[in-house]
Amino acid sequence: MNTSTIQPILVIVSAPSGTGKTTLCDRLLVEIPDMVYSVSCTTRLPRGEEIDGEDYHFLTETDFKARIEQGAFLEYAVVHGHYYGTLRESVAGALQDGESVLMDIDVQGAAQIRAALEAAGPEDPIGGHWTDIFISPPSIEALRERLEGRGEDAPEVIEARLENAGAEMARAGEYRHLVINDYLEAAYRCLHEIVVCEAGGDT
Ligand code: 5GP
């Protein structure tokens, strides 16, 4: 597999929680040359081992709103009751440095970015090469089994996640690509091939 010819690309990935997105994205970041993760801002509290500045920039709601006022976000949305947003500067900076950027954002944010990218001229640092991919569980039932099997969430949290997942899956058609994560290895191969092809490399 030749990934040496790929051009810097902005890759937008969305997936309902519990779909295996983090595992898939982490592997992509290791295997695609010069691809960096877009660290989002959020007002939710850190979970587990999460590190400020690495997993997210954890902000207070006041700070987040000040950045909205400053126009600092390329997109932002309220997800599960918290603000999440992507800083324009960090995405544009990486692309200008010749790096590919991987964004893990929800369907609302993806719609905003798509509109911004479609409106951006060729001189805009984010206006060039991009693609978007929706990663879906094989079914809501399969997702329920995974979330219950993980044993991390209370039943009412699982119900809320499933409801949200159904709403997100209904918008999968807005994305250029769909990857069904039924078998992790097959889903990864598919994701990798999409990114390499979109970036102009050979698979
Ligand atoms: P979590 O809190 O589980 O890390 O993420 C919850 C949801 O927020 C996920 O669907 C994730 O894709 C989304 N998300 C993370 N960062 C951003 C962002 O910068 N913008 C938007 N719109 N959604 C985000």
Side-chain angles (χ1 to χ4, degrees):
M1 186 173 305
N2 179 12
T3 52
S4 60
T5 53
I6 75 167
Q7 302 295 314
I9 185 169
L10 174 60
V11 178
I12 302 162
V13 170
S14 301
S17 63
T19 310
K21 171 180 56 176
T22 308
T23 308
L24 293 167
C25 288
D26 284 351
R27 186 161 163 200
L28 204 57
L29 287 164
V30 171
E31 293 192 5
I32 297 289
D34 299 322
M35 174 172 266
V36 295
Y37 181 65
S38 161
V39 179
S40 297
C41 297
T42 183
T43 57
R44 80 151 164 78
L45 293 173
R47 279 197 301 246
E49 312 263 288
E50 284 181 334
I51 298 171
D52 188 27
E54 243 176 64
D55 297 287
Y56 281 104
H57 301 291
F58 294 100
L59 302 183
T60 63
E61 204 161 307
T62 308
D63 284 346
F64 198 102
K65 286 182 174 164
R67 287 175 196 233
I68 295 176
E69 290 301 309
Q70 292 157 7
F73 291 115
L74 194 52
E75 62 74 35
Y76 70 92
V78 176
V79 186
H80 306 142
H82 299 285
Y83 283 95
Y84 290 82
T86 306
L87 291 172
R88 185 183 300 278
E89 193 186 277
S90 56
V91 173
L95 291 171
Q96 275 168 333
D97 289 346
E99 293 171 312
S100 293
V101 176
L102 178 64
M103 302 177 68
D104 160 3
I105 60 175
D106 87 315
V107 291
Q108 307 169 75
Q112 291 174 43
I113 298 262
R114 224 175 272 126
L117 289 167
E118 278 157 9
E123 71 292 346
D124 190 307
I126 61 150
H129 210 173
W130 64 278
T131 194
D132 54 356
I133 305 163
F134 190 86
I135 303 175
S136 179
S139 65
I140 286 284
E141 269 322 300
L143 185 60
R144 176 188 294 281
E145 278 172 30
R146 273 186 214 169
L147 291 173
E148 287 176 351
R150 221 161 60 167
E152 283 176 6
D153 301 306
E156 62 275 16
V157 174
I158 291 182
E159 288 314 314
R161 286 188 192 278
L162 290 173
E163 196 174 317
N164 198 49
E168 293 205 297
M169 286 159 71
R171 295 183 65 176
E174 295 174 20
Y175 292 69
R176 210 175 288 175
H177 301 282
L178 172 66
V179 172
I180 311 271
N181 186 9
D182 199 349
Y183 299 99
L184 190 66
E185 186 60 29
Y188 178 71
R189 296 265 57 95
C190 190
L191 180 66
H192 184 272
E193 188 163 327
I194 290 168
V195 172
V196 173
C197 288
E198 285 278 7
D202 306 319
T203 58

